[in-house]
Amino acid sequence: MKQHFKMAALSLAVLSSTSAFAQDSSEPEYKSWFGLSGMYYNTDDSRPLDLTEGGVYDDGRGVALEYGFRFTQSWAARVEFTALNLDYVGNDDESGEMVGVDALYFMPDDMYYLFGGIKRQSVGESTTLANVGIGKHWDLSDTVKVITEIATYHDFGEDYNDYSVKVGVSIPFGKSTPAAPQD
């Protein structure tokens, strides 16, 4: 009974807080983007490659490709693919990939965005991760933006927590057209 009450209270708190993040239905400056980024990936210190081998993963590097789509000025979604290479203490490096989807919430005036999603990581063994983070698309010009992000990942199966830092470029496209004045 206590568990049901806690879940109901948490649900009510989440639903009531959505008014603080009211959706902005105005047209975004751009509709979509492609991005290419370099990533530094830091693994949990206790994350083993294989329990029979006795070694652990260390930090790593990756190259990420992403495609994003803005539904409104505030809300967007993206699909991401990352070629990931993790260092392995006690053996050779392990290479693989990480794929996933994120929902993004852009703050007013695109000051920064918050994101969360699900990733499938296949380096050594495959694992499913939940991720949350914060990022910014900096205007380099009208046709190029610089991407900066910090994210944390949680593996629910093994209870590991990793994090990453990402820097790259994106090409926005599908500019919104201003509405024609009405007579």
Side-chain angles (χ1 to χ4, degrees):
M1 183 70 169
K2 271 186 166 179
Q3 189 69 12
H4 291 355
F5 178 74
K6 286 180 185 177
M7 290 303 291
L10 180 61
S11 298
L12 182 61
V14 168
L15 289 174
S16 65
S17 70
T18 57
S19 64
F21 291 104
Q23 279 191 357
D24 180 7
S25 61
S26 63
E27 286 286 316
E29 178 185 338
Y30 55 93
K31 301 257 187 195
S32 302
W33 72 90
F34 282 112
L36 174 65
S37 302
M39 175 189 287
Y40 168 76
Y41 192 90
N42 186 286
T43 60
D44 192 312
D45 292 339
S46 62
R47 184 175 168 181
L49 170 65
D50 184 341
L51 297 176
T52 60
E53 294 184 32
V56 294
Y57 282 117
D58 197 7
D59 59 355
R61 291 148 309 285
V63 175
L65 295 170
E66 66 182 65
Y67 169 74
F69 181 82
R70 291 183 80 160
F71 302 105
T72 67
Q73 182 65 26
S74 299
W75 290 99
R78 73 171 169 202
V79 178
E80 187 175 41
F81 171 83
T82 305
L84 196 57
N85 185 27
L86 297 180
D87 297 336
Y88 179 65
V89 177
N91 205 342
D92 294 330
D93 294 349
E94 287 286 322
S95 295
E97 63 271 340
M98 185 165 60
V99 295
V101 296
D102 291 313
L104 293 82
Y105 179 79
F106 284 82
M107 300 308 260
D109 297 326
D110 286 351
M111 293 209 28
Y112 58 91
Y113 56 89
L114 304 172
F115 63 92
I118 300 291
K119 302 283 193 268
R120 183 72 176 162
Q121 188 180 87
S122 298
V123 180
E125 295 181 12
S126 293
T127 185
T128 301
L129 309 168
N131 67 292
V132 295
I134 186 169
K136 172 111 173 104
H137 285 180
W138 304 86
D139 289 331
L140 195 58
S141 72
D142 287 343
T143 58
V144 178
K145 295 184 178 288
V146 174
I147 300 170
T148 55
E149 283 185 5
I150 298 173
T152 183
Y153 305 87
H154 180 76
D155 178 349
F156 292 105
E158 299 295 330
D159 203 30
Y160 298 127
N161 295 303
D162 302 339
Y163 72 87
S164 71
V165 177
K166 183 166 82 169
V167 176
V169 295
S170 72
I171 308 297
F173 59 94
K175 295 233 180 223
S176 296
T177 56
Q182 295 184 7
D183 293 331

